[in-house]
């Protein structure tokens, strides 16, 4: 589940997921050891937004300043986690994926750990593990502390790499004996497009109809810093926790650190060469934007050619650090899309969409 599903605005995401299936699947159709689970994010699930020392994240600020539905109470998981774990047991889940609220664990974004926040996550993880449910933890689900947004502009400023790495260090140290699956960043592409190109999710920045922002440059700067932060956290885990004797006399933590992407299945709208090339461009922009650096150490060539100097550069050292820094890639998949080439145009205004040179439409699903 993601709060920002509505974000790819060119795609109607109100999809008929209720399609009739010809087959009924059961666990025996899946390989031995296949893990079934569900997931949530801290802001969607926890509630208790200003309890026990938690401070606002950019989500709190965004929804309250616009009078939108908020997560003040949400599912009240902060208080009802035991009941929720019971429900997971009754559902037969093998795993649960959740995120840690940075501003609950470290209220100012850096510095002292909030003991009550720490205790909550320890209790919850213990509850999961005791009931045989494997915890999968996301470190960043779009909710950095508002304090850091105010202080230096959050992900627009490289200072956040250091602060995010210190936050991750606390998580690995405190929870790593029970947690083997870590996702650093959830759906990086959605966060950058929604928050910095469209301005329709926190922190609500864009060129048009936003109080501030720059859709030509900020999505690329933020994505760059997300990748560097991910790589920094991954290195920390490998150096300090993965192989080495960790805390709690548990020996090696031996887990893995990955990166999360919103994946769309792209196909061309016609059999023309232009649409075929445009479809590959769509993959490069939506997926290669982060997968390119993670696998090859740099952005896809077509992005560099189109975006030029608005796309930040990796130093050689950074490139080496980012390359191979993901043990796995987490895929969230909700939809397929049809790609149509757009003739080059110059409107005096470029943003992520105009840079892609494509339009997307929803695959027509008839059920
Ligand atoms: C980033 O934050 C630091 C520390 O707060 C500040 O000195 C610097 O000017 C900021 N850089 C940018 C590009 O905003
Ligand atoms: C947005 O960023 C681009 C690229 O850095 C720059 O050329 C442009 O002047 C910026 N626009 C505004 C309104 O600041």
């Amino acid at each position: 589940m993601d709060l920002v599903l509505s974000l790819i605005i060119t795609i109607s995401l109100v999809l008929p997921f209720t399609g009739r299936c010809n087959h009924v699947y059961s666990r025996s159709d899946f390989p031995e050891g296949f893990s079934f689970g569900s997931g949530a994010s801290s802001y969607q699930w926890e509630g208790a937004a200003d309890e026990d020392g938690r401070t606002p994240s950019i989500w709190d600020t965004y929804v309250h300043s616009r009078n939108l539905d908020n997560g003040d109470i949400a599912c009240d998981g902060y208080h009802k986690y035991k009941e929720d774990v019971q429900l997971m047991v009754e559902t037969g889940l093998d795993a649960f994926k959740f995120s840690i609220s940075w501003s609950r664990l470290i209220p100012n974004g850096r510095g002292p750990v909030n003991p009550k926040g720490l205790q909550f996550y320890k209790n919850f993880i213990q509850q999961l593990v005791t009931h045989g449910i494997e915890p999968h933890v996301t470190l960043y689900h779009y909710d950095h502390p508002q304090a850091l947004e105010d202080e230096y502009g959050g992900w627009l400023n490289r200072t956040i790499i250091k602060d995010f790495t210190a936050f991750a260090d606390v998580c690995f140290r405190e929870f790593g004996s029970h947690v083997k699956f870590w996702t650093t960043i959830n759906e990086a592409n959605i966060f950058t497009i929604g928050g910095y190109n469209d301005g329709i999710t926190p922190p609500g920045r864009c060129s048009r109809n936003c109080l501030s922002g720059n859709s030509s440059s900020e999505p690329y700067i933020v994505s760059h810093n997300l990748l560097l932060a991910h790589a920094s956290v991954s290195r920390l885990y490998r150096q300090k926790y993965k192989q080495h004797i960790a805390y709690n006399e548990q020996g090696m933590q031996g887990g893995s650190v990955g990166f999360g992407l919103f994946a769309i299945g792209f196909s061309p709208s016609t059999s023309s060469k232009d649409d075929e090339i445009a479809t590959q461009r769509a993959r490069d922009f939506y997926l290669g934007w982060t997968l390119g650096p993670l696998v090859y150490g740099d952005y896809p060539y077509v992005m560099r050619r189109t975006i030029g100097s608005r796309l930040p550069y990796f130093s050689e050292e950074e490139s080496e650090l980012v390359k191979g820094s993901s043990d796995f890639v987490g895929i969230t998949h909700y939809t397929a899309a049809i790609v149509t080439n757009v003739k080059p145009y110059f409107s005096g205004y470029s943003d992520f969409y105009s840079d892609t040179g494509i339009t997307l439409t929803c695959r027509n699903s008839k059920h």
Side-chain angles (χ1 to χ4, degrees):
M1 267 200 317
D2 275 284
L3 276 174
V4 290
L5 262 188
S6 57
L7 159 77
I8 307 260
I9 48 172
T10 46
I11 305 175
S12 159
L13 281 166
V14 189
L15 285 178
F17 276 122
T18 51
R20 266 174 271 122
C21 295
N22 294 325
H23 306 287
V24 175
Y25 292 105
S26 70
R27 278 188 186 236
S28 61
D29 293 305
F30 290 80
E32 188 82 21
F34 191 95
S35 185
F36 288 87
S38 69
S41 71
S42 53
Y43 194 63
Q44 287 170 296
W45 176 66
E46 289 176 9
D50 62 0
E51 264 179 68
D52 291 348
R54 182 185 180 277
T55 64
S57 77
I58 59 168
W59 262 110
D60 298 85
T61 307
Y62 183 88
V63 295
H64 279 284
S65 66
R66 287 163 177 79
N67 247 331
L68 302 171
D69 285 348
N70 64 61
D72 289 359
I73 299 169
C75 307
D76 203 16
Y78 188 76
H79 298 115
K80 296 183 173 161
Y81 71 93
K82 286 185 180 167
E83 291 163 67
D84 286 353
V85 171
Q86 197 50 46
L87 290 171
M88 294 176 206
V89 170
E90 286 163 22
T91 309
L93 299 188
D94 305 312
F96 186 67
K97 186 166 186 276
F98 62 98
S99 72
I100 292 181
S101 162
W102 187 345
S103 65
R104 189 183 296 288
L105 192 62
I106 305 179
N108 292 320
R110 80 168 81 89
V113 172
N114 170 18
K116 288 186 172 166
L118 180 65
Q119 196 57 50
F120 166 68
Y121 291 112
K122 284 195 162 176
N123 292 346
F124 178 50
I125 290 168
Q126 188 63 50
Q127 192 76 9
L128 288 169
V129 170
T130 305
H131 289 82
I133 295 169
E134 173 110 54
H136 289 240
V137 174
T138 299
L139 293 173
Y140 186 72
H141 199 117
Y142 321 154
D143 59 345
H144 61 278
Q146 182 65 36
L148 300 185
E149 187 71 12
D150 295 341
E151 186 182 329
Y152 56 67
W155 287 103
L156 287 166
N157 191 314
R158 281 178 173 236
T159 305
I160 200 166
I161 297 167
K162 185 166 53 71
D163 290 337
F164 183 66
T165 307
F167 160 62
D169 198 8
V170 173
C171 295
F172 294 151
R173 188 181 70 217
E174 300 291 344
F175 314 130
S177 57
H178 286 312
V179 177
K180 301 301 163 209
F181 296 96
W182 299 94
T183 298
T184 52
I185 311 289
N186 179 70
E187 291 177 1
N189 47 354
I190 291 298
F191 173 63
T192 47
I193 298 169
Y196 299 86
N197 190 78
D198 300 350
I200 56 166
T201 53
R205 298 177 63 85
C206 67
S207 292
R208 284 181 197 158
N209 306 323
C210 291
L211 289 175
S212 52
N214 186 334
S215 305
S216 303
S217 56
E218 290 187 358
Y220 302 116
I221 295 168
V222 168
S223 195
H224 196 75
N225 290 338
L226 289 170
L227 284 164
L228 291 173
H230 158 83
S232 164
V233 165
S234 174
R235 176 177 57 184
L236 170 78
Y237 190 75
R238 286 175 187 178
Q239 289 180 347
K240 192 169 168 187
Y241 296 99
K242 192 179 178 91
Q243 318 254 351
H244 292 247
I245 304 300
Y247 287 67
N248 307 330
E249 299 165 62
Q250 297 280 330
M252 299 183 299
Q253 293 191 358
S256 43
V257 175
F259 193 84
L261 270 186
F262 183 93
I264 302 171
F266 295 105
S267 47
S269 63
T270 71
S271 58
S272 75
K273 195 77 195 160
D274 278 352
D275 286 338
E276 202 181 290
I277 294 169
T279 301
Q280 184 52 43
R281 205 161 61 242
R283 295 188 188 111
D284 284 332
F285 269 83
Y286 281 90
L287 310 173
W289 188 8
T290 47
L291 289 181
L294 291 173
V295 176
Y296 302 112
D298 204 359
Y299 295 109
Y301 172 69
V302 68
M303 289 191 76
R304 175 65 63 201
R305 196 184 61 203
T306 312
I307 306 164
S309 63
R310 286 180 289 122
L311 187 64
Y313 291 87
F314 293 106
S315 70
E316 221 163 281
E317 192 192 340
E318 288 167 348
S319 169
E320 280 306 309
L321 186 64
V322 171
K323 185 176 169 176
S325 61
S326 234
D327 296 322
F328 63 86
V329 174
I331 296 295
T332 323
H333 184 73
Y334 299 95
T335 188
I338 307 271
V339 181
T340 307
N341 183 52
V342 174
K343 296 275 176 291
Y345 66 92
F346 183 71
S347 61
Y349 170 88
S350 35
D351 70 353
F352 179 81
Y353 298 126
S354 66
D355 288 338
T356 64
I358 58 168
T359 57
L360 296 180
T361 45
C362 191
R363 182 182 279 286
N364 187 14
S365 10
K366 293 199 179 76
H367 289 283

